[in-house]
Amino acid sequence: MSSGYSQHSNPINGDVVYNLPPGAKLLPKAKIYDLSFKLNKNATNVSYQQSDLKFLKEFDAGAIEQLKNEDPKYFAYLSEGENFIKSLSPKVRTIYTDTELWYIYAFDQKLKNTLTTIK
């Protein structure tokens, strides 16, 4: 894990489970969604909108390029997240949207690791 990442402990069991961008803070009442149900196409009572999953700052291409010098830790976080998403199989990319994959990258390390093994 890069030194720029924010790690947060799970209040239930103390395991580190979040991979937030540098400087990000998780709000105490933030709802964390379990998106693993989509792998098995199980019916679930998980209800969310894509907008509920957004946590990254919005950048255009020029602003992202500026981050290389202005905020290299955040740039590294974005680059590593992009590399994770690009490395996933086409099957995974049809199951999850990019917004969902970014959310998994930040909030569900177990699912993230599972997705990397699917061919």
Side-chain angles (χ1 to χ4, degrees):
M1 206 177 218
S2 173
S3 62
Y5 297 165
S6 297
Q7 296 181 10
H8 294 272
S9 295
N10 182 330
I12 296 170
N13 61 16
D15 290 340
V16 174
V17 293
Y18 306 127
N19 175 23
L20 298 177
K25 302 282 186 224
L26 187 65
L27 298 174
K29 294 183 181 185
K31 181 170 182 166
I32 305 298
Y33 299 95
D34 180 359
L35 304 182
S36 62
F37 73 92
K38 291 184 81 173
L39 282 180
N40 299 320
K41 299 181 183 175
N42 291 337
T44 181
N45 60 358
V46 176
S47 177
Y48 64 90
Q49 301 294 318
Q50 291 292 306
S51 60
D52 295 334
L53 305 178
K54 292 190 178 205
F55 66 95
L56 291 172
K57 298 174 190 174
E58 298 277 334
F59 293 105
D60 62 29
I64 290 174
E65 194 62 30
Q66 282 183 307
L67 282 176
K68 277 185 184 179
N69 296 322
E70 294 175 8
D71 193 346
K73 288 181 180 180
Y74 202 91
F75 180 80
Y77 180 85
L78 293 176
S79 296
E80 290 179 26
E82 283 291 326
N83 289 338
F84 158 70
I85 291 170
K86 288 177 184 176
S87 74
L88 296 171
S89 72
K91 179 179 180 178
V92 171
R93 301 285 311 269
T94 59
I95 296 170
Y96 291 102
T97 66
D98 280 354
T99 300
E100 290 168 332
L101 291 171
W102 271 107
Y103 188 84
I104 291 165
Y105 178 73
F107 294 103
D108 193 339
Q109 300 308 293
K110 182 178 177 184
L111 180 55
K112 175 186 156 200
N113 292 334
T114 298
L115 295 180
T116 62
T117 65
I118 297 172
K119 302 294 177 205

